[in-house]
Amino acid sequence: KAGVTQTPRYLIKTRGQQVTLSCSPISGHRSVSWYQQTPGQGLQFLFEYFSETQRNKGNFPGRFSGRQFSNSRSEMNVSTLELGDSALYLCASSSQGNYGYTFGSGTRLTVV
Amino acid sequence: KNEVEQSPQNLTAQEGEFITINCSYSVGISALHWLQQHPGGGIVSLFMLSSGKKKHGRLIATINIQEKHSSLHITASHPRDSAVYICAVRRVDGSQGNLIFGKGTKLSVKP
């Protein structure tokens, strides 16, 4: 079966712009979670969605938001981009959110 | 202090060597994950543990809940095992997000 698909793979944006990243989970998986990875902070949890509801949120400013659609696909949005938002953004899906995760290949965002 | 600590941070081994990576955590957990990340960023989930031991091919993962410690072992290491190995825990109360990550162990296996 197809894996977790993240689009786009690479993105360059200017400070102050906004960006939307997409994640399509494995078919049948209803939980999607998002993570930010930077060299300094490592991997950090952003948020988790299950059946279109945000179930959990990490310690990130309100500029970071997300949503999940009825087909379980998820998007995350970052508004008013800052240089420090440059990172690899990963999403992962699971069937229940409490079990094993399958990760996507990530979207590498560069803010200039 | 980080809630999830890994050691060592960097590890260089010769092909064929037995490798151990350690993970200690300070919170109550419902599960512990071992992840592998190759250059380029993709992450593969290797194991999810809540007790005991799991084996998959040359990889073995163990967890001691009482001591809040887990180990990942690689037997007969191979250059293709070169990657960053990341330990992640899910807090038992689900608070502060779903997974808390260690900083990773960068493994390099030389032929």
Side-chain angles (χ1 to χ4, degrees):
Chain A
K1 58 185 174 183
V4 177
T5 303
Q6 288 189 249
T7 57
R9 286 297 308 274
Y10 302 93
L11 206 47
I12 300 175
K13 288 286 189 178
T14 304
R15 268 183 304 174
Q17 287 187 313
Q18 68 93 28
V19 66
T20 300
L21 310 181
S22 178
C23 174
S24 294
I26 287 176
S27 178
H29 282 192
R30 295 162 64 190
S31 170
V32 174
S33 48
W34 288 89
Y35 307 89
Q36 182 197 63
Q37 187 177 36
T38 59
Q41 298 296 320
L43 273 161
Q44 294 181 281
F45 168 73
L46 279 159
F47 23 67
E48 178 185 11
Y49 287 88
F50 184 82
S51 294
E52 301 180 66
T53 301
Q54 186 180 86
R55 192 155 68 171
N56 230 327
K57 190 176 192 300
N59 294 325
F60 278 82
R63 300 185 297 107
F64 291 80
S65 63
R67 58 178 175 168
Q68 187 179 33
F69 301 97
S70 58
N71 62 357
S72 293
R73 189 177 70 87
S74 177
E75 289 181 347
M76 67 162 281
N77 184 78
V78 189
S79 63
T80 320
L81 283 165
E82 300 176 0
L83 294 178
D85 297 333
S86 295
L88 179 67
Y89 290 88
L90 291 151
C91 81
S93 75
S94 70
S95 59
Q96 294 276 352
N98 288 325
Y99 301 100
Y101 295 86
T102 302
F103 286 81
S105 298
T107 294
R108 190 165 295 278
L109 172 65
T110 302
V111 182
V112 297
Chain B
K1 187 181 184 297
N2 292 330
E3 292 171 302
V4 181
E5 298 276 1
Q6 284 186 240
S7 64
Q9 279 187 296
N10 294 282
L11 184 55
T12 300
Q14 287 299 127
E15 184 173 355
E17 284 186 358
F18 180 85
I19 287 162
T20 296
I21 299 170
N22 296 299
C23 175
S24 296
Y25 53 92
S26 57
V27 296
I29 68 169
S30 58
L32 181 144
H33 299 257
W34 281 103
L35 310 171
Q36 179 193 57
Q37 186 172 33
H38 281 281
I43 290 180
V44 174
S45 179
L46 298 174
F47 295 103
M48 185 181 72
L49 296 159
S50 54
S51 64
K53 175 180 175 178
K54 287 191 177 180
K55 184 175 189 292
H56 185 254
R58 295 180 295 106
L59 302 178
I60 302 166
T62 63
I63 188 169
N64 185 319
I65 297 294
Q66 287 72 33
E67 294 186 4
K68 294 193 165 128
H69 181 268
S70 175
S71 293
L72 176 68
H73 306 286
I74 304 175
T75 62
S77 59
H78 190 276
R80 65 175 175 266
D81 297 326
S82 297
V84 176
Y85 292 84
I86 301 167
C87 169
V89 302
R90 186 177 181 107
R91 295 174 70 110
V92 67
D93 60 3
S95 66
Q96 296 184 26
N98 62 358
L99 288 180
I100 307 169
F101 299 87
K103 295 294 186 188
T105 295
K106 186 173 182 180
L107 171 65
S108 178
V109 182
K110 306 293 186 188

